[in-house]
Structure formats: C-alpha cells, structure tokens
Amino acid sequence: MGKKKMKNDRERTFALITIPIVLLFFCFNTLPLLKGVFYSFTNFKGYGSYDIVGLRNYMDLFSDSRVGNSYLFTIKYAVVCTIIVNVVSLILALGLNSKIKGKTVLRGIYFIPNILGGLVVGYIFSFFFTYILPAVGQTLGIEALSSSMLSSTKTAWFAIVLVGAWQSIAMNTIIYISGLQTVPEDVYEAGSLDGATGWRKFKNLTFPLIIPFFTINMVLCMKNFLMVFDQIMALTKGGPSQSTESISFLIYNNGIDGGQFGFQSANAVVFFVVIVAISVCQMRFMGKKEEQL
Amino acid sequence: MIKKEKHEGKVNVPVTILLILGCVTIFFPLYMAVIIAFKQPSEMTNDIMGALAFPKTWSLDNFAEAMRVTDFWNSLGNSLLLTVATVVVAIALHGIAGYAIGRSMAKKKIYNFVYLYIVSGMFVPFAILMMPLVKQTAQLGIANRFGVVVLYVVFYMPMNLLLYAGYLKNIPLALEEAARVDGASTWKTYWSIIFPVMKPMHATVAVLTAMSTWNDVMTPLVIMSGTGKNTLPLAQLNFQTQFGTNYNLAFASYLLALLPILLFYLFCQKQIINGVVNGAVK
C-alpha cells in the first residue's frame, strides 16, 4: 500500500515538473517556429495587414539572386572554414598532446580565442585588415595585400573565414586533445614495434581511434559556421556589394528592418531544412565510416 | 622499465618552440588592441609603427572616455544580470527537467517522446524564430531583459536536458530508493540527494550557458532594441557610429568589453575548459 502511494507520488511529481517545462518550450520554440512557417506563406511586411500568397515566396526565393548569393557565400564560408579549422586544430592538438614543456600554459593560451565574443573580435580584426595588413603589404611591396582585404569582393569572404577560424580553432583543438588522450599508450608501442612513424602512424593508428571526435567537430563546425552572424556584422555588414551576406544576416537585415517579414520567413524555413539535412547527412556519413573501422 | 623511460624522458624541443611561436597568432590581435587603446589619435600614423609601437605615455584617459560614451557600467550590469539569471534558472529548471524526463524515459514512451521533442530543438536556427519572437515578446510585454532570459532558458534547454539526462544514466537508482524507504517525497529526494550528486554537470551547464549568454549579440539585439538598454557586446555595436574614426576610443571600449571574461578565464581556466569539453563530447 505504502509503496504504491510512493510510486504515485513519484509519477505525479514528474508529470507536474514536465508539463510546465514542455509548455514553456512549446511557447518560445515550437510556436514561433510554426508562426514562422505560417508567415512564410504570406506577404506580411512586419506591420499592417497581410494576405496569404501560397507558395509565391518560395518560388520567388529560388529566382532571387540576392538570396541565392547568400546561400553560395554561406556554404562556401562554412565548408572552407570547417576544413581549415579541422586541419589546423588537429595539427595543433597533436603538438599540444606531445611531450612538450609548459603544456598546461600553452593549452590555456591556445584556448583564449574561444572565450572572446565574436563581435568584438570582429571589430579588432576589422582594424587589422583595414590598416595593419595593407601597411605590411605596402612595406614589403606585396601588391595583393596593399589594399584592404575587406574592400574587395574577391577577398572579403576570406578575411571573414580567417576570423571565424581564429576563434573556432581553439574549441576544436581542445576536443581533439581530449580525443587523443583516449588513445592508449600501448597502441603506440605496438605500432612502433611495427615501425609505424610519422604520417603513417597518424593515418593508420591515431586517426581511426579519434574518429568520433572528428565527427563531433565536423558537425559542430558546420552548424556554427552556417549560422555565422556576429563576424559579418562586425567586419563587412554584408558588403562589399552584398558579397558577404550570410543567410542569418540577410534574414535579420531584410526581415526585421527591410519589410520582407513574409519573404524572409520563407528563407528561414528553407535555411532550417538545409541545416537539418546537412547535419543528418554528416552524422549518417560519419556513422558509416565509424562502423567500417 | 626501459621503454617507460624512453616515453617519459624526452621533451620534444622543436614542437615546444613551434607552439610557443604559434602563440603570436593569439597574442598579436590582443597586443594590437592594448597598444591602440592606450594611444592618442595624434600618435596613429599611417605606417605599421603608428599602430603597433608603444604609446608615448600610458594614460587611462581613453578608457575613462569609453566608459562614459558607452555607458559601460550599465552595460556591464545588464550583461551580468542576464548571464547570472540565465545560469541560475538553467541549473534549477533544466536540472529538474533532466531528472523528471531522464528517469521516466525508460518506463514511459511519452517521456521518450518529450525528450526527443525538446532535444531536437537544437537544430532550429535562431533565424527562423527571430521574427516571430520579436512580435511575440512585444505582444506579451516582455521585449526586455526578462524576455531575453526566458528565451535563453528555452534556447539552451535542448543541450542542457541532453547533458543532465545523460549524466543521470550513471547515477544508480538505489541512491534515491534509500531515501524513498525513509518516506521522503520525490521533490525532496531530488533536492537533497540528486541535485548535489549532479554537481559536476552543474559546473558544465553553468560554463556553457554563461559563455553563450555573455557573448550573444543577436537575441538582445532583436528583443531589447526598444528598451535603450545594452549588453556589453551590444554597446560596441550601438556606439560604433559614435566612435567614428577615433580608433583609440573604440579599442579602449573593446578591451573593456573583453576584460571581464578574460579575468574570469584567468581564475577559472580549468573549470571552463573542462566544462566546454564535457559539453561537446557528451
């Protein structure tokens, strides 16, 4: 009898905790998501009255060159950043995990960029690209560097890649280090008996063992870089001539201030689908890789 | 024995040197920020030394001026308020959510569904919620600091629920059953037994939540824009035009904005790194 009462108390308490939490989550996550989907079928400007226009926003989306360019830029940015960040942080992690002096201090230093806010870091780098780098270029007589990277449509995107990478490498390095620490020492000993050294040792011994960490880093990187906003806001505000407008920036800029509430909602819905699709693909692909090994 | 010595003994000198040299890439932007923040506009010549040489005098005038222009103390106060409030609510609410949902998941399908429902919220980008949320918070009259905290609590719920529920899997049920036999209610059992046991996870959640909140620009930018209140990063954005071409003033302000988290990192480095790694790996 007493036990049953206890069980009921437990179930009731769990239900009383869960229901308000689910309601809260629904109100500020699912409900706005549904509203966003609804607005994507309207010509709402953000104020005043509006009509339902069916799929017109979606049709327009595919013929709008500004939206198309923002997708091209964002995906190019995310892919290049993800590759650079993972290559550099893997090398850095191998270095920081080897037998070096002052390991703790060095690890602490390399992690600093991760704790700093993207916007302020962007402003600092903006000055670097606008004044310092051109001055260096002029002094050394390097034509390509002698004008600001941020003012050319050809190079501005890469400047943003550098800033994004500078910040993200810190995080990925730490994750790779914790991955490398799970590799048992005797694996290396067995390997060195077989004469495995350098690149071969890394490719055949170390890397297969840290693939789960590689997966985490790829998925995290891709997702974060696809949502890039702060760096754009600080470095270029989408310029020059709209060449660095990320999807998030375009939705913010034209959706909130530009009177394209309905249209940008459609953009956001497509963006959401793209993010989910990319993340699922990545995890599937990596999952298969892990199974093979 | 011999093998062991071989492995522990040698310090890899070339790698150490390379890594120390590599620190330049971390320190250079910060060095540049410090130098420029201390200079006067007249010292900023167009060559490299104009920006990078030491200032003639180390004066704090720029910082005092930056504090005045950007309303530093109020922005700092707002940032602290938002961060502390979000962290406290996150630990209290997400912890108990993790307990209720995590413990019921195995037995009841509905909780399994609730868990997946909330965790999958991780993939919803802020961009799609942004515009409806601006409307919604305005209608509810919470387009202010309170509203921002509510939104943060909702945004970080998927991640934190995942962390807490995952951590609870390793805590044996026997621990609670002992308390239950003594007649303690479920509510009391949670606070007196489970909550303290989850301490390591509280630290991880606190670090992750605090860092995301502290550095976030977008949420306060779209939600609080009507209140005239700033967070530290938001102040940098909103006063950009007032800095004009006075980079010295701007950099003093940037440095002030970075200083609190740098100091915090200096003292809690280990906890921060551990927290971040735990969060990402789990």
Side-chain angles (χ1 to χ4, degrees), chain B residues 70-87 144-146 148-149 152 210 213-216 220 224-225 227-235 238-239 260:
Chain B
T70 63
D71 199 11
F72 175 77
W73 295 110
N74 276 326
S75 309
L76 178 70
N78 286 331
S79 275
L80 279 176
L81 184 81
L82 290 181
T83 307
V84 172
T86 306
V87 169
N144 50 28
R145 289 172 293 183
F146 174 76
V148 172
V149 172
Y152 283 146
T213 312
W214 184 265
N215 287 329
D216 183 47
M224 297 183 357
S225 61
T227 61
K229 291 199 164 59
N230 284 313
T231 63
L232 268 186
L234 201 54
N238 287 340
F239 290 102

Side-chain angles (χ1 to χ4, degrees), chain B residues 198-210:
Chain B
M198 294 201 298
K199 211 171 153 197
M201 212 13 96
H202 295 322
T204 297
V205 166
V207 165
L208 288 177
T209 309

Side-chain angles (χ1 to χ4, degrees), chain B residues 3-21:
Chain B
K3 236 181 212 167
K4 241 189 181 165
E5 261 171 35
K6 205 175 110 196
H7 269 279
E8 283 170 3
K10 267 190 297 180
V11 168
N12 197 334
V13 180
V15 172
T16 310
I17 292 171
L18 278 177
L19 283 171
I20 292 171
L21 288 177

